[in-house]
Amino acid sequence: MSTNNSDIRVVVGMSGGVDSSVTAHILKEQGYDVIGIFMKNWDDTDEFGVCTATEDYDDVIRVANQIGIPYYAVNFEKEYWDKVFTYFLDEYKLGRTPNPDVMCNKEIKFKAFLEHAESLGADYVATGHYAQVKKVGDEIELLRGVDNNKDQTYFLNQLSQDQLKKVMFPLGGMEKTEVREIATKAGLATANKKDSTGICFIGERNFKQFLSEYLPAQPGDMRTLNGEVLGKHDGLMYYTIGQRHGLGIGGDGEPWFVVGKDLKNNVLFVEQGFHHDSLYSDSLIATDISFTTNSEKPKTFVCTAKFRYRQTDTKVTVNMREDGTAEVVFADPVRAITPGQAVVFYDGDICLGGGTIDTVWKKGAKLNYVG
């Protein structure tokens, strides 16, 4: 055990899952001064008075006691509501499909949590994200995780140099199977706990039902681009570009897909066929551009990009505009690009940063009709 590490305090964000449990275990084994913190971001008590956060915190306590580290819970419900949940609702009101995980990392896990950790004397914070950081000169590069299936740099694209200098991602160089093996070998209480999926504040609940509690749904026409009415939609906010399920349109031929929305007239546009021409675009405009590095970017640069999580990269040319937005031009047409989602830029394994997809274009015309 290195004596140096014992002088370095690392505060680990522990969720009660296997990834953050193994993160804390590894750092403790490496001799760091480790503290576990459980973040309560959402009051998810159900109608029976059961709160899954309580179960998760119990798992944090069990693991912290097993590996011999102090632990605390901290409540970020107000910050989460103000910074993440109101953004989530505002985007849906605009007919877009938001990405709350990106915002949560930017505003809560690597801002509110980081500030709280520093108040406890932390030199670093660590999480169970599958990503890597590497020091190159004076800068820290954000690199994809080794496990392609689990790489989470897409959700970390808004992190700045100041944040990256203070983070550790011990799982970034591992495959998920290896993480489970470490947990089992160490006998951690969460070794066989199933991974949580979906948006944390919705959990296992029905998405439509959840959203309808906060936003009034306005049913309207479901039409083809030629104006043929095929049925009714339940409310534009429930649908995303490229969606197939839940349209309720049967009949012959290929399945139907959402190809656009007209917010003003409350119309949902649908067309037949996975590869329908109207689902493909050749460029987009992105806002809220943020780079992970401080070094000056050229006005135009070529890289690859992801437009949704777990998508293969597409070669793009990024043109930075005077107003701070970016025009992203694709080498090949891309299917079902969705306003509100993140566009994330890569140079090989290095995550350069990203922004929010605002409008989608094809041959100089705006697609998807959102707005």
Side-chain angles (χ1 to χ4, degrees):
M1 184 188 287
S2 159
T3 48
N4 296 346
N5 283 0
S6 62
D7 299 330
I8 298 171
R9 175 165 288 180
V10 185
V11 172
V12 180
M14 296 182 73
S15 64
V18 68
D19 292 334
S20 57
S21 300
V22 171
T23 296
H25 166 73
I26 288 171
L27 293 168
K28 175 71 175 169
E29 289 280 290
Q30 290 171 349
Y32 290 101
D33 172 15
V34 180
I35 298 174
I37 299 260
F38 176 75
M39 283 177 265
K40 189 165 190 299
N41 296 333
W42 187 259
D43 179 7
D44 62 352
T45 308
D46 67 16
E47 64 268 36
F48 306 111
V50 175
C51 175
T52 57
T54 308
E55 295 162 25
D56 289 335
Y57 187 42
D58 287 344
D59 284 335
V60 169
I61 294 169
R62 275 195 279 274
V63 170
N65 286 333
Q66 281 181 302
I67 61 183
I69 61 168
Y71 58 85
Y72 306 94
V74 60
N75 191 309
F76 288 134
E77 283 178 26
K78 185 184 184 312
E79 291 88 340
Y80 194 90
W81 182 281
D82 291 347
K83 301 286 190 184
V84 182
F85 192 62
T86 52
Y87 142 82
F88 173 84
L89 293 182
D90 288 345
E91 286 288 277
Y92 273 111
K93 282 179 200 160
L94 294 171
R96 296 166 28 137
T97 305
N99 201 312
D101 288 330
V102 172
M103 194 59 78
C104 181
N105 284 329
K106 180 182 179 176
E107 295 290 348
I108 308 297
K109 290 181 181 167
F110 298 94
K111 192 171 181 186
F113 172 63
L114 178 57
E115 286 164 11
H116 182 77
E118 286 177 329
S119 76
L120 298 174
D123 298 292
Y124 293 94
V125 295
T127 64
H129 283 95
Y130 287 80
Q132 303 181 86
V133 282
K134 179 182 169 192
K135 192 165 174 24
V136 178
D138 295 334
E139 297 244 306
I140 303 289
E141 288 180 347
L142 175 62
L143 304 171
R144 300 182 208 250
V146 164
D147 188 331
N148 272 338
N149 267 327
K150 297 296 290 182
D151 167 50
Q152 287 169 302
T153 50
Y154 179 84
F155 301 113
L156 299 167
N157 78 82
Q158 294 281 306
L159 297 195
S160 66
Q161 270 301 297
D162 288 345
Q163 290 165 313
L164 291 171
K165 282 176 178 165
K166 302 253 174 84
V167 303
M168 289 182 169
F169 297 127
L171 308 188
M174 299 183 198
E175 300 277 340
K176 178 73 182 203
T177 48
E178 205 181 327
V179 173
R180 287 269 180 207
E181 278 163 24
I182 292 171
T184 305
K185 208 168 161 190
L188 299 182
T190 52
N192 297 314
K193 189 171 177 180
K194 130 175 147 24
D195 287 349
S196 60
T197 54
I199 300 166
C200 67
F201 48 80
I202 297 177
E204 303 297 317
R205 281 175 291 183
N206 176 290
F207 174 73
K208 263 187 175 177
Q209 197 184 327
F210 174 83
L211 207 51
S212 69
E213 289 171 23
Y214 295 92
L215 297 176
Q218 293 177 300
D221 283 349
M222 202 184 288
R223 299 181 190 168
T224 66
L225 293 172
N226 291 331
E228 185 190 345
V229 178
L230 294 174
K232 289 278 182 197
H233 65 76
D234 297 333
L236 291 180
M237 61 191 177
Y238 298 134
Y239 305 88
T240 189
I241 304 299
Q243 179 175 327
R244 171 185 173 179
H245 297 291
L247 299 181
I249 311 172
D252 301 330
E254 292 188 79
W256 292 84
F257 293 87
V258 173
V259 298
K261 302 177 181 185
D262 176 348
L263 220 60
K264 204 167 112 193
N265 300 303
N266 195 23
V267 173
L268 186 74
F269 291 108
V270 293
E271 285 294 345
Q272 236 171 340
F274 184 86
H275 291 297
H276 193 277
D277 189 53
S278 62
L279 278 169
Y280 285 83
S281 54
D282 55 28
S283 66
L284 62 83
I285 302 294
T287 56
D288 304 315
I289 304 291
S290 169
F291 290 109
T292 57
T293 139
N294 288 336
S295 54
E296 192 70 25
K297 279 273 167 297
K299 283 271 181 278
T300 295
F301 59 95
V302 175
C303 62
T304 64
K306 276 187 196 297
F307 309 101
R308 62 183 68 220
Y309 182 47
R310 288 210 177 107
Q311 186 186 42
T312 52
D313 286 43
T314 298
K315 191 177 174 186
V316 298
T317 302
V318 181
N319 300 310
M320 295 303 297
R321 309 198 312 175
E322 289 301 315
D323 61 0
T325 62
E327 179 197 33
V328 183
V329 181
F330 324 145
D332 297 300
V334 180
R335 181 185 180 275
I337 290 193
T338 308
Q341 288 289 294
V343 52
V344 182
F345 307 128
Y346 292 89
D347 175 4
D349 280 336
I350 305 166
C351 177
L352 301 173
T356 303
I357 299 167
D358 187 46
T359 53
V360 183
W361 297 75
K362 182 179 192 170
K363 295 177 182 162
K366 192 154 82 158
L367 267 195
N368 297 345
Y369 315 97
V370 173

